[in-house]
Amino acid sequence: QKQLVESGGGFMKPGSSLRLSCAASGFRVEDSAIGWFRQAPGQEREGIACISNNDGPATTYYARFVKGRFTISRDNAKNTVYLQIETLKPDDTAVYYCVREELCSVWGGNYFLDLRPDDVWGQGTQVTVSS
């Protein structure tokens, strides 16, 4: 059974940094496209980043709003994907999810969230940014 478990969220101060983890089981992350998205209260889901499953070095894609503050990476040995967030802002407050996708959806070089029926995502991890 394919499963993803997110962790690493918490209550953070503005300007701080955070690394979220997405541990996979039942499949290999290196064989899959793994994305991160978030959902704030009352808001729609928002795609953040995706790391592809191509052979050789992975290709990463980011949503247009990211502007360098988010970095997605993968540790094949740990079967885990990470999302590093720098300079946290109160607007980053949301539940963060990782998702196993068929492929990274990209338009104009930017990642966008396009969930499909067979996609798998975890329970999410809450990130709250407040002074």
Side-chain angles (χ1 to χ4, degrees):
Q1 183 178 4
K2 299 178 180 67
Q3 289 187 324
L4 294 168
V5 177
E6 302 92 340
S7 62
F11 191 93
M12 308 298 294
K13 296 288 188 184
S16 62
S17 300
L18 185 67
R19 189 177 79 161
L20 305 179
S21 299
C22 170
S25 60
F27 69 98
R28 300 196 311 173
V29 293
E30 62 191 279
D31 295 333
S32 303
I34 304 293
W36 281 95
F37 67 94
R38 65 186 182 183
Q39 188 166 25
Q43 303 294 318
E44 294 188 354
R45 294 166 177 156
E46 181 177 47
I48 302 169
C50 188
I51 187 165
S52 67
N53 59 334
N54 54 309
D55 291 336
T59 302
T60 57
Y61 303 95
Y62 296 93
R64 181 174 297 181
F65 78 89
V66 165
K67 300 186 186 301
R69 289 199 303 119
F70 295 75
T71 303
I72 189 171
S73 62
R74 187 175 70 201
D75 186 330
N76 295 340
K78 295 183 178 180
N79 212 31
T80 298
V81 174
Y82 303 99
L83 183 69
Q84 178 76 28
I85 313 173
E86 307 290 346
T87 318
L88 282 160
K89 304 176 181 179
D91 286 348
D92 294 322
T93 296
V95 179
Y96 285 71
Y97 302 85
C98 58
V99 54
R100 180 182 182 267
E101 305 184 72
E102 180 179 347
L103 50 81
C104 295
S105 299
V106 180
W107 181 261
N110 298 305
Y111 169 67
F112 66 94
L113 185 65
D114 184 18
L115 296 178
R116 299 172 176 82
D118 291 339
D119 291 344
V120 176
W121 58 89
Q123 82 292 343
T125 185
Q126 175 71 49
V127 174
T128 302
V129 184
S130 175
S131 56

